Amino acid sequence: MEYRLQFREVWNNFDLLLWGAAYSLILCILAGIVGLALGIIAAETRRTGPGWARMLVAAYVEAIRNTPFIVQLFFLFFGLSSAGLRLSPEAAAAIALTVNIGAYFCEIVRAGLEAIPRGQIEAARALGLRDWRIFRAIVLPPALSQAYPALTSQFVLVFLGSAVISQISAPDLTFQAQFLQSRTFRAFEIYFVVTGMYVAMALGFKLLFAQAERRLFPWKGVR
Amino acid sequence: MMRQFTDERIILLLLEHAQWTALLSLIAFAGGAMLGLAVTVMRVAPSKALNRAGMVYTGLIQSTPLLMMLFLVFFGLPLAGVNVDAWTAATVSLVLFASAFLADIWRGAIEAVGRGQWEAARALGLTFLQSFRLVIAPQALRMALPPTVGFSVQVVKGTALTSIIGFVELTKAGTMLNNVTFRPFFVFSVVAAIYFAMCFPLSLWARHLERRLHGAHTS
C-alpha cells in the first residue's frame, strides 16, 4: 500500500497556522527587545558592577547557556507553579524566552563592550561628559555595532528554538501544527508546510537584519 | 507506591538516563562531524555547483527548527517505507543538525587560512584533496577547535528535544518522574543540574582553547 500525500487539510486550516506563526513572531520579537535591554544591563553590570552583582550575572549567564531551553521552560512552568508562582503558558513562555535570550545577549554585548578602547572613554570624560552619556553615546553604539552580527544570528537561533514552547501549550506555530495533526492525522504534510514557514521566517529575519545593518550603523561601511 | 521515589532514587534514575543523553550526544557529534566534513569539502571545492549545494544544505538546516527536523524524520521516513523508532529519528535529525553547523564553523576556519596557501599547494602539484588534507586542514584545525568544542554544548542541549518524540533520555525521564512524583521543582532542578554538569566543562574547555588561540596570535 502506498501512502499518498494530501495537503488539503493543511490548506483548509491554513489560517490556524498563520495565527500560530504570528504568535511565534510577535512573542520572539518582544522577547528579543526586552532580552536586549536585559543583556545590555547584565553585560554592563558584569563589567563595572560590584563583586556580588558580577557573580550573580555570571551565574545567570552560565546557568542559562549550559542547560537546554526546554528544561528551563519546564522548570519555570511546572517547577515554579508547584512552588506557588502560577504562570499561564503564555506568560511562562514569554519569560523563559526573554531570560534565555538575555543571557546569550549579555555575553555577546560584553564582548562588544570590551572591544571599546579605553582611550575613547577617557577622552569623553576629559570633555566633561557624564557617565551615562558616555555609556549611551560613546560606548554602546560601537559595541552594539560590533555585536550586531552575533546578536542577530543568536536571535534567529532562539526564534527557531522557540518551537519548544508548544510543549507547555503556548499557542505558537508548532502548537497549532500539533493540534492540526491530532485532528487530521496528516502529520508529515503539516510538519512539511510548517517547516517551510519557519524556514521562510528565519530567512526573512536574516535578510531584514542584513538590510537593517547599514541603516542602523551607517559608519560601518559596506559589508 | 509513591514512597518508593525518595530523593536519592530520583537522582539515581535521572543519572541513569543521562547516559542516553551522553550516548546520543556522542553519536550525533561524531556522525555530524563526518557528514559536516563532507559538506565542508563541498563548500570549499573548486566547483561552483558543489559550493552552492553545500551552501543550500547548511542554510536550509540552519533555518529549520530542530524540533521540526525531528518531526519530519519521525513522521516522514515511515511514509517512504523506512520504519523508524524514536532512537533512529533522534540520531538522524541530530546528525543533520550538527553537520550543518559544524560545516559552517569549519568553512569559516578554512577561509581564514588564506588563498595563498591553496595556491602554493596547488602550485606544488598537489590535487585539491591533497592540498586540503595536507596543507589547509592542519592550519584550519587550530582555529576551528574552540568553536567546535563550543558547539558540542549545543549538541548536548539539542538532545533534550528528542524527549518530545518519545525518546527516553534525561529530559523525558524528568517529565516521567515528575508525572509520578508531582515534584517538578526538585525533579527539574536535578535535570538542569545534570545538564549543567555535562555542558559547563565543555564551555570552559572551549573558552580555554579560545584564550590560548588568541594568546598565540598576539605573542
Side-chain angles (χ1 to χ4, degrees), chain A:
Chain A
M1 199 178 72
E2 201 177 294
Y3 184 86
R4 238 167 249 196
L5 292 179
Q6 214 189 82
F7 286 92
R8 208 184 50 224
E9 298 278 10
V10 184
W11 305 131
N12 285 346
N13 296 288
F14 198 63
D15 55 331
L16 202 66
L17 297 179
L18 282 179
W19 277 115
Y23 185 89
S24 292
L25 276 177
I26 292 169
L27 188 67
C28 285
I29 290 172
L30 287 179
I33 293 169
V34 182
L36 181 60
L38 181 64
I40 293 172
I41 294 169
E44 186 58 12
T45 307
R46 182 125 192 230
R47 262 163 43 89
T48 58
W52 61 268
R54 280 187 219 192
M55 291 271 285
L56 207 68
V57 171
Y60 156 60
V61 170
E62 296 303 342
I64 295 295
R65 286 180 7 128
N66 290 292
T67 52
F69 177 59
I70 187 171
V71 175
Q72 297 161 16
L73 193 67
F74 285 171
F75 180 79
L76 198 72
F77 186 62
F78 298 118
L80 287 191
S81 81
S82 81
L85 184 66
R86 232 162 245 294
L87 292 169
S88 68
E90 289 91 338
I95 295 172
L97 273 173
T98 309
V99 167
N100 183 274
I101 213 168
Y104 285 96
F105 279 4
C106 170
E107 274 304 279
I108 298 169
V109 171
R110 193 167 67 109
L113 289 175
E114 265 162 18
I116 307 294
R118 285 219 57 81
Q120 295 202 357
I121 301 172
E122 282 155 15
R125 204 163 279 151
L127 286 171
L129 296 184
R130 302 234 174 89
D131 280 353
W132 165 244
R133 284 225 39 208
I134 294 175
F135 183 71
R136 217 192 39 139
I138 310 292
V139 176
L140 199 54
L144 284 184
S145 122
Q146 190 187 334
Y148 187 81
L151 286 174
T152 52
S153 60
Q154 185 63 43
F155 175 81
V156 173
L157 287 180
V158 171
F159 171 69
L160 296 175
S162 78
V164 167
I165 65 173
S166 58
Q167 299 309 305
I168 59 164
S169 315
D172 76 330
L173 178 53
T174 305
F175 176 85
Q176 304 295 10
Q178 284 187 302
F179 172 72
L180 211 56
Q181 189 245 326
S182 69
R183 280 201 326 193
T184 64
F185 301 105
R186 292 282 166 189
F188 182 76
E189 290 89 332
I190 293 167
Y191 292 131
F192 186 77
V193 170
V194 167
T195 300
M197 293 169 78
Y198 272 112
V199 170
M201 288 190 283
L203 293 179
F205 270 129
K206 285 177 194 170
L207 212 69
L208 198 74
F209 286 141
Q211 290 294 314
E213 185 167 23
R214 248 174 283 166
R215 294 266 171 95
L216 286 169
F217 311 108
W219 62 86
K220 240 176 149 174
V222 193
R223 228 174 66 88

